[in-house]
Amino acid sequence: MKIGIPKEIKTKEYRVGVIPSGVRLLVESGHEVYIEKDAGEKSRFSNDDYTQAGAIILQNPKEIYDTCEMILKVKEPQPQEYDLLKPGQILFTYLHLAPLRELTEILKEKEVIAIAYETVQEGKRVPLLEPMSQIAGKIAPMVASYFLSAHNNAMGVLIGGASGALPARVLIIGSGTVAKNAAKIASGMGADVVVMGRNPSSMTELEDIMPANVSTLYSNRYNMEKILPTVDIVIGAVYITGEKAPHLITREMLSLCKKGAVLVDVAIDQGGCIETSRPTTHDDPIFEVDGVIHYCVANMPGDYPVTSTHALTNATIPYVKKIADMGWQHASLEDAAIYSGVNVAGGFVTEQAVAKAHQMEYYELKSIIDNCPEFGGTV
């Protein structure tokens, strides 16, 4: 299979879809790998690193999309990439389609085979989301601490406090991978940390492994309204596979927050778990609503590409190889994790959560494969 890796063009997105060791694995398996010139530069991989591993360097994204059967990316296609997509082309990347109706319609119209990292699921695990969730969780307390400073029009509270001065109080909403890593870093910085979730086993685990400055609280509206006036930082860490994030802090609740508090909405890729959130970029990361600072950068790990690229591509490469070796149809039917990753195929939405979010018709992927001649089935 011809596999292409274009350079990421989302604002301040420095990751790349494959590292040289992944190229070598694919080439040794009989595949052709094409990578756009300088695509790995910010992740500290040169063009020579890729050519020595067996890749072919192409000069621009159009050559990549025109040449390749599978496009391997990190972030969802940007508007300037829409016209490059071709029918039947496999797109394997983070998509987060639930809040992105326009992109969902484009993928349908173009009849792309859109496989989303974030919905590849093994049991209860989302193995291609976990490494980036880990990194985003670790970043969140650091950016919150920085933007809590007075020169950012925030409270001017040091997250770890000082002798005779209390530390910041941090509320983390969620109890999954993002939450655990955010709690680990925030507690290590000396904050008073409260993790609010609904999964009893996850919260028990957190209590067992976290230091004494981390406590847990059951998530409901009553408890949220009681705790919001007491915290300096809120980290939204909610994820429901493929679905639009629920608004656990409503517009009305914002009035309960301290003036100058900082909200970091890590769930912004899925629409955000704070009603007043909207996607921001590393160039312009924050905005203020009613005196409360919002940080809603939709690609937080992209600013730490050396770490993030390694962590992501080490997780994705076994799935890439299986899809390339078997073809996406056979790989999907053979591997339930890949099957769960297919969000759009041949003009049909095959992920229930995405169909529900956009009120589009949902089609079972197996029926699409079985009944469409172009996918090897019969009508």
Side-chain angles (χ1 to χ4, degrees):
M1 182 177 285
K2 295 180 178 181
I3 302 163
I5 299 91
K7 189 174 184 177
E8 297 294 325
I9 61 171
K10 192 179 179 85
T11 303
K12 294 291 169 65
E13 178 51 70
Y14 298 128
R15 291 170 287 182
V16 64
V18 74
I19 59 178
S21 61
V23 170
R24 178 170 293 177
L25 176 68
L26 294 168
V27 171
E28 288 177 347
S29 299
H31 306 293
E32 297 177 18
V33 179
Y34 299 82
I35 186 163
E36 187 178 343
K37 181 182 177 182
D38 298 331
E41 184 179 31
K42 291 293 185 178
S43 293
R44 301 298 176 94
F45 295 115
S46 68
N47 295 325
D48 285 345
D49 291 331
Y50 284 107
T51 56
Q52 288 169 16
I56 298 166
I57 304 296
L58 296 181
Q59 297 299 309
N60 59 64
K62 186 175 188 303
E63 288 184 278
I64 295 284
Y65 283 86
D66 283 350
T67 302
C68 297
E69 301 157 82
M70 184 197 304
I71 301 297
L72 187 59
K73 281 178 47 62
V74 177
K75 294 302 292 180
E76 73 282 354
Q78 302 301 293
Q80 54 267 54
E81 295 174 293
Y82 292 171
D83 286 342
L84 300 175
L85 295 165
K86 299 187 302 185
Q89 198 166 50
I90 302 164
L91 174 66
F92 196 22
T93 188
Y94 286 119
L95 287 169
H96 297 287
L97 292 178
L100 300 177
R101 183 179 182 90
E102 181 185 22
L103 178 56
T104 305
E105 289 176 337
I106 289 290
L107 295 174
K108 286 177 60 183
E109 176 189 326
K110 295 283 187 177
E111 297 186 359
V112 171
I113 311 306
I115 308 175
Y117 292 159
E118 72 277 3
T119 65
V120 170
Q121 195 163 358
E122 294 186 359
K124 293 184 178 180
R125 291 185 57 235
V126 277
L128 306 189
L129 190 62
E130 284 172 3
M132 296 304 96
S133 295
Q134 182 185 45
I135 291 170
K138 290 180 175 181
I139 294 170
M142 297 192 295
V143 296
S145 176
Y146 173 77
F147 285 109
L148 198 60
S149 58
H151 83 269
N152 287 304
N153 294 321
M155 293 184 65
V157 173
L158 182 64
I159 192 169
S163 298
L166 292 173
R169 194 175 201 204
V170 177
L171 172 64
I172 300 170
I173 307 171
S175 57
T177 303
V178 172
K180 290 172 185 175
N181 283 276
K184 179 179 179 180
I185 298 302
S187 62
M189 296 171 79
D192 173 18
V193 181
V194 178
V195 179
M196 178 179 272
R198 290 183 179 174
N199 186 322
S201 61
S202 292
M203 290 194 286
T204 299
E205 180 188 351
L206 279 165
E207 290 170 350
D208 288 342
I209 64 175
M210 292 293 170
N213 56 332
V214 178
S215 54
T216 61
L217 180 67
Y218 189 79
S219 180
N220 56 40
R221 186 182 178 100
Y222 179 86
N223 285 340
M224 183 71 75
E225 290 175 348
K226 289 295 183 184
I227 199 170
L228 279 179
T230 74
V231 300
D232 308 297
I233 292 169
V234 177
I235 296 172
V238 176
Y239 180 70
I240 303 170
T241 304
E243 294 187 21
K244 197 171 186 298
H247 289 154
L248 299 184
I249 296 179
T250 65
R251 179 71 176 81
E252 180 185 6
M253 289 179 186
L254 202 67
S255 63
L256 301 173
C257 295
K258 294 179 181 180
K259 300 301 180 187
V262 173
L263 312 184
V264 178
D265 198 342
V266 183
I268 194 63
D269 267 337
Q270 293 293 128
C273 63
I274 300 164
E275 188 173 4
T276 45
S277 291
R278 56 175 170 78
T280 61
T281 68
H282 290 294
D283 279 341
D284 189 15
I286 62 170
F287 61 92
E288 185 180 317
V289 179
D290 295 345
V292 179
I293 306 298
H294 293 57
Y295 176 97
C296 307
V297 173
N299 61 328
M300 292 168 65
D303 209 23
Y304 297 85
V306 174
T307 302
S308 299
T309 292
H310 278 91
L312 174 61
T313 59
N314 287 338
T316 59
I317 195 65
Y319 298 94
V320 175
K321 183 178 181 300
K322 181 172 277 192
I323 293 167
D325 287 347
M326 302 179 69
W328 75 267
Q329 303 98 320
H330 292 298
S332 298
L333 297 176
E334 172 79 17
D335 190 329
I338 294 173
Y339 188 97
S340 66
V342 182
N343 280 211
V344 180
F348 304 97
V349 176
T350 56
E351 166 57 52
Q352 278 187 306
V354 173
K356 179 181 177 183
H358 300 307
Q359 297 182 324
M360 294 177 176
E361 192 166 355
Y362 162 74
Y363 294 85
E364 179 64 42
L365 178 60
K366 189 175 185 304
S367 69
I368 300 299
I369 295 173
D370 288 345
N371 292 315
C372 292
E374 62 267 35
F375 295 159
T378 57
V379 176

